[in-house]
Amino acid sequence: MAQTYDDRKIVKAYRDLAREVVKREDLYRLMDQSALQEQTQHWLQKFQEREITERDRIYIFALVREAARRVVGLEAVMVQLIGAFVLGDGKIAEMKTGEGKTLVSLFVMYIEILRGNKVHLVTANEYLAKRDREEIGRVLEYLGLSVGLNVSGLDKEQKQAIYKADVIYGTAAEFGFDYLRDNMVRQTEDKVQTSLDFVLIDEADSILIDEARTPLLISDRKEEDLTLYGVADTLVRTMLTDDYEVEEKKRFVWLHDAGIEKAQRFWGIDSLYAEEHQPLHRITTLLLRAHFLMHKDKDYVVLDGEVLIIDPHTGRALPGRRFNDGLHQAIEAKEGVEVREESRTLATITVQNYFRMYKKLSGMTGTAKTEEEEFRHIYNMDVVVIPTHLRVNRVDNADEVFYTREQKGEAIVREVSWLYERGQPILIGTSSIKSNEWVSELLLKAGIPHQVLNAKNHEQEAEIIARAGKRGMVTLATNMAGRGTDIKLDKGVYTLGGLAVIGTERHESRRIDLQLMGRSGRRGDPGFSKFILSLDDELVDHFDNKRWESYIRRMKRKYNFDDKPVHSRKVHQLVIEAQKRLEGSNYDIRKDLLAYDEVIDIQRKKVYEERDRLLGIDKLGAFSERILREVAEDVFSEREPDLDARYAKMGELLGGTKFPYSFDQVTLMSQEEAVEALIFWHRKQRTKFPTGTINQIEKEVYLNLLDQMWVMHLDQMVQLREGIHLRAYGQQDPLVMYQKEGAELFTNFQDRYHFYFAHALLELDPEGLVLG
């Protein structure tokens, strides 16, 4: 990616600072370890009183550089120091593969601790977190700091010990789940996560963009009739193309009139859209989505009788993750495997909203510039391209585009055979398991031995990738090709031109293509890359443009007889345009997800603040009384014109309590008299309990109600979100409607749990100490 003018200006300013750091390399040479640790303590004290200056930064970096040289034998070069300065400013540093991003992280983490911050370093998986914790963590410990590794499956005490460390390594999911679990505890001392000060994200594009589509969920089992999925599957298999419509781009499918009639006959009901038939409507829609939008070996695989999700960006299967809201069950019914019960969401947050809670955020990755707009819009972060230490020696050839898939297949085999005979190692990238298996078949027929890496065997990923640079090795991989693992070349491979990368289709995002190319030509190694495409590719297929379609048809009629690639600037332009348009629509999907989640995010923060406030109070008298008063004022309000409704509400509040006035007496009181009588009686009852006991009981009751009702509310928000798009046809903006109705649901939820809490307070009986 070419550097923009701004980048050059920033990089130049930091290069001058980096030179100053290198000039001071002798400054700390003669100090022993205890002297260096004293420096750490000295700065920690100093920066409590004042800000860190430019001059301080230079001295601090010189010290860290010396420590890294001693402990891990790595001496930070200019570009690594420049990268560290960029990260210190809360930006994203784009550094190519093999440029030593791990070492860069060390400088910024150390300086953030000196500023008094807790530092979280987030990596793409636990294997990398462990590896980096062992390598870079040693340097931090050498300088007198503590380092923790946050992994799953630990108990509360172990977690709390980890969060006491200055620097904590872990995955995005683990940090996010700790946050959600902390907001489900019953006592403040059960929380594990400390303040969210500074987070540094490795492979920032993968975590902040690719994973941003999948929210983090904590769930339990939901009781429902699972046989319905199989029954609905029978119905959907009878659907003809005139019965429904599919909108692939928006991931949407709906029934035409004929389909609706067919469904109503099948279920034996008059209206699929009636309130009482909501479950049948939902399950029918889910099966339609499973059949017409979810594709086997692209969106999911079936392994050992289990449906596993495939991560669309890495091609990895994700064991343990399930599509939510019933879609997973629908796919299980479609594939004829056991339908397992759906989970019910107890707590959820998107990766985006979790990271936006940190006071400061920065990240590093090999590819981010293409998504700069998104980083700026969603996270308020700029991307700075850091120049490479050694020149990139990879030769990137122009795309070859063929008319048909068959011709493309022949061209791939020709290219691979020629390189294989020379002994040059080859990495072939595909964007799905299906095309991965298709290319593998072609290579087998041609007698070319190769190793395959896809979601079905990703356990051996590190080994397979490590072998990919050996002489004569052909590796076929989905786009996951080992992030964070370097492909090292055999000695004899340099003269052959290094690792050859062949892309068999353009991905939905240029960034992923650049990553595939970046597997070759690391640290000044020679390398070669080329994409071999066809006009039948899915990317071009998605690009529905009538003018293009007729142009391609004409081209195919005219030239489809030879096996030479298309020589037309226009066709190459088409591929670029199709990719840009898909990138745009994927960005819209993520922006959409965020816009919808922001509605829940505001609600979530209110509920979590409310819980925290309650956990912090020991004496609940005034708190409980305030809620009781609000509820009573509403229930006894004379504004309600419908007497029956008013009496029903009063009956619900007072029923089952020992309130000394009869129902008839209460109905004759004014609002003020009734409220005061109730409050007076409640106070008297409360004094009959031991003080500690009543506070504990009230807290428990309140938290129980809040948590249970919040789960029900989340469920309602999911249903609202699913149904809202159906109304988009009524010329109303679905998001605006979702915000409005979501706010109404939230007000109802607050009213409801306050009402039940007030009722529970009145039910408390000091004589039997019975809980309502």
Side-chain angles (χ1 to χ4, degrees), residues 299-315:
D299 300 300
Y300 63 89
V301 283
V302 180
L303 277 182
D304 306 328
E306 202 179 335
V307 171
L308 299 180
I309 300 180
I310 293 179
D311 182 321
H313 294 278
T314 62

mmCIF file of all heavy atoms in Angstrom, residues 299-315:
data_model
loop_
_atom_site.group_PDB
_atom_site.id
_atom_site.type_symbol
_atom_site.label_atom_id
_atom_site.label_comp_id
_atom_site.label_asym_id
_atom_site.label_seq_id
_atom_site.Cartn_x
_atom_site.Cartn_y
_atom_site.Cartn_z
ATOM 1 N N ASP A 299 -20.389 -21.850 4.758
ATOM 2 C CA ASP A 299 -20.760 -21.218 6.025
ATOM 3 C C ASP A 299 -20.572 -22.172 7.206
ATOM 4 O O ASP A 299 -20.405 -21.737 8.337
ATOM 5 C CB ASP A 299 -22.230 -20.764 5.989
ATOM 6 C CG ASP A 299 -22.460 -19.758 4.878
ATOM 7 O OD1 ASP A 299 -21.819 -18.709 4.915
ATOM 8 O OD2 ASP A 299 -23.264 -20.043 3.965
ATOM 9 N N TYR A 300 -20.649 -23.477 6.911
ATOM 10 C CA TYR A 300 -20.494 -24.455 7.993
ATOM 11 C C TYR A 300 -20.022 -25.781 7.401
ATOM 12 O O TYR A 300 -20.102 -26.002 6.186
ATOM 13 C CB TYR A 300 -21.835 -24.667 8.717
ATOM 14 C CG TYR A 300 -22.924 -25.250 7.829
ATOM 15 C CD1 TYR A 300 -23.089 -26.631 7.706
ATOM 16 C CD2 TYR A 300 -23.775 -24.429 7.092
ATOM 17 C CE1 TYR A 300 -24.066 -27.170 6.879
ATOM 18 C CE2 TYR A 300 -24.751 -24.946 6.262
ATOM 19 C CZ TYR A 300 -24.892 -26.328 6.153
ATOM 20 O OH TYR A 300 -25.854 -26.866 5.323
ATOM 21 N N VAL A 301 -19.483 -26.649 8.271
ATOM 22 C CA VAL A 301 -19.144 -28.017 7.838
ATOM 23 C C VAL A 301 -19.879 -28.987 8.757
ATOM 24 O O VAL A 301 -20.254 -28.633 9.878
ATOM 25 C CB VAL A 301 -17.629 -28.332 7.945
ATOM 26 C CG1 VAL A 301 -16.855 -27.718 6.827
ATOM 27 C CG2 VAL A 301 -17.056 -27.914 9.281
ATOM 28 N N VAL A 302 -20.064 -30.218 8.263
ATOM 29 C CA VAL A 302 -20.633 -31.249 9.127
ATOM 30 C C VAL A 302 -19.523 -32.255 9.402
ATOM 31 O O VAL A 302 -19.010 -32.889 8.482
ATOM 32 C CB VAL A 302 -21.833 -31.949 8.439
ATOM 33 C CG1 VAL A 302 -22.417 -33.010 9.362
ATOM 34 C CG2 VAL A 302 -22.907 -30.925 8.092
ATOM 35 N N LEU A 303 -19.110 -32.338 10.669
ATOM 36 C CA LEU A 303 -18.033 -33.257 11.053
ATOM 37 C C LEU A 303 -18.527 -34.142 12.190
ATOM 38 O O LEU A 303 -19.010 -33.634 13.213
ATOM 39 C CB LEU A 303 -16.806 -32.484 11.525
ATOM 40 C CG LEU A 303 -15.827 -31.956 10.474
ATOM 41 C CD1 LEU A 303 -14.668 -31.262 11.159
ATOM 42 C CD2 LEU A 303 -15.293 -33.056 9.586
ATOM 43 N N ASP A 304 -18.412 -35.462 12.023
ATOM 44 C CA ASP A 304 -18.836 -36.413 13.063
ATOM 45 C C ASP A 304 -20.235 -36.100 13.595
ATOM 46 O O ASP A 304 -20.460 -36.004 14.810
ATOM 47 C CB ASP A 304 -17.849 -36.402 14.250
ATOM 48 C CG ASP A 304 -16.428 -36.632 13.789
ATOM 49 O OD1 ASP A 304 -16.261 -37.357 12.795
ATOM 50 O OD2 ASP A 304 -15.499 -36.076 14.402
ATOM 51 N N GLY A 305 -21.173 -35.884 12.684
ATOM 52 C CA GLY A 305 -22.565 -35.665 13.079
ATOM 53 C C GLY A 305 -22.797 -34.352 13.810
ATOM 54 O O GLY A 305 -23.773 -34.203 14.535
ATOM 55 N N GLU A 306 -21.886 -33.396 13.611
ATOM 56 C CA GLU A 306 -22.054 -32.098 14.287
ATOM 57 C C GLU A 306 -21.874 -30.970 13.280
ATOM 58 O O GLU A 306 -20.999 -31.034 12.407
ATOM 59 C CB GLU A 306 -21.009 -31.977 15.395
ATOM 60 C CG GLU A 306 -21.410 -30.993 16.460
ATOM 61 C CD GLU A 306 -20.366 -30.904 17.585
ATOM 62 O OE1 GLU A 306 -19.621 -31.888 17.795
ATOM 63 O OE2 GLU A 306 -20.305 -29.862 18.216
ATOM 64 N N VAL A 307 -22.714 -29.943 13.398
ATOM 65 C CA VAL A 307 -22.593 -28.787 12.506
ATOM 66 C C VAL A 307 -21.646 -27.772 13.146
ATOM 67 O O VAL A 307 -21.884 -27.305 14.258
ATOM 68 C CB VAL A 307 -23.983 -28.127 12.271
ATOM 69 C CG1 VAL A 307 -23.841 -26.810 11.521
ATOM 70 C CG2 VAL A 307 -24.890 -29.078 11.501
ATOM 71 N N LEU A 308 -20.526 -27.470 12.448
ATOM 72 C CA LEU A 308 -19.559 -26.492 12.975
ATOM 73 C C LEU A 308 -19.552 -25.252 12.091
ATOM 74 O O LEU A 308 -19.515 -25.354 10.865
ATOM 75 C CB LEU A 308 -18.145 -27.085 12.993
ATOM 76 C CG LEU A 308 -17.912 -28.331 13.846
ATOM 77 C CD1 LEU A 308 -16.469 -28.783 13.735
ATOM 78 C CD2 LEU A 308 -18.229 -28.042 15.307
ATOM 79 N N ILE A 309 -19.557 -24.079 12.712
ATOM 80 C CA ILE A 309 -19.499 -22.822 11.958
ATOM 81 C C ILE A 309 -18.105 -22.650 11.360
ATOM 82 O O ILE A 309 -17.111 -22.999 11.984
ATOM 83 C CB ILE A 309 -19.754 -21.627 12.908
ATOM 84 C CG1 ILE A 309 -21.132 -21.732 13.556
ATOM 85 C CG2 ILE A 309 -19.613 -20.295 12.189
ATOM 86 C CD1 ILE A 309 -21.467 -20.599 14.498
ATOM 87 N N ILE A 310 -18.056 -22.092 10.143
ATOM 88 C CA ILE A 310 -16.751 -21.727 9.564
ATOM 89 C C ILE A 310 -16.601 -20.215 9.658
ATOM 90 O O ILE A 310 -17.485 -19.470 9.247
ATOM 91 C CB ILE A 310 -16.662 -22.147 8.085
ATOM 92 C CG1 ILE A 310 -16.665 -23.666 7.972
ATOM 93 C CG2 ILE A 310 -15.404 -21.584 7.435
ATOM 94 C CD1 ILE A 310 -16.600 -24.165 6.564
ATOM 95 N N ASP A 311 -15.468 -19.783 10.198
ATOM 96 C CA ASP A 311 -15.175 -18.349 10.235
ATOM 97 C C ASP A 311 -14.972 -17.882 8.799
ATOM 98 O O ASP A 311 -14.098 -18.385 8.096
ATOM 99 C CB ASP A 311 -13.895 -18.135 11.049
ATOM 100 C CG ASP A 311 -13.541 -16.681 11.182
ATOM 101 O OD1 ASP A 311 -13.713 -15.955 10.190
ATOM 102 O OD2 ASP A 311 -13.083 -16.264 12.254
ATOM 103 N N PRO A 312 -15.790 -16.907 8.317
ATOM 104 C CA PRO A 312 -15.734 -16.530 6.899
ATOM 105 C C PRO A 312 -14.387 -15.943 6.496
ATOM 106 O O PRO A 312 -14.022 -15.955 5.325
ATOM 107 C CB PRO A 312 -16.827 -15.469 6.760
ATOM 108 C CG PRO A 312 -17.118 -15.005 8.128
ATOM 109 C CD PRO A 312 -16.795 -16.131 9.044
ATOM 110 N N HIS A 313 -13.598 -15.447 7.458
ATOM 111 C CA HIS A 313 -12.359 -14.777 7.076
ATOM 112 C C HIS A 313 -11.150 -15.670 7.152
ATOM 113 O O HIS A 313 -10.213 -15.517 6.393
ATOM 114 C CB HIS A 313 -12.148 -13.544 7.944
ATOM 115 C CG HIS A 313 -13.202 -12.523 7.673
ATOM 116 N ND1 HIS A 313 -13.128 -11.661 6.615
ATOM 117 C CD2 HIS A 313 -14.382 -12.280 8.269
ATOM 118 C CE1 HIS A 313 -14.220 -10.912 6.589
ATOM 119 N NE2 HIS A 313 -14.998 -11.289 7.581
ATOM 120 N N THR A 314 -11.164 -16.641 8.083
ATOM 121 C CA THR A 314 -9.963 -17.457 8.219
ATOM 122 C C THR A 314 -10.184 -18.857 7.656
ATOM 123 O O THR A 314 -9.231 -19.594 7.469
ATOM 124 C CB THR A 314 -9.594 -17.614 9.703
ATOM 125 O OG1 THR A 314 -10.669 -18.284 10.359
ATOM 126 C CG2 THR A 314 -9.369 -16.260 10.348
ATOM 127 N N GLY A 315 -11.460 -19.212 7.398
ATOM 128 C CA GLY A 315 -11.714 -20.575 6.918
ATOM 129 C C GLY A 315 -11.624 -21.600 8.039
ATOM 130 O O GLY A 315 -11.696 -22.790 7.798
#
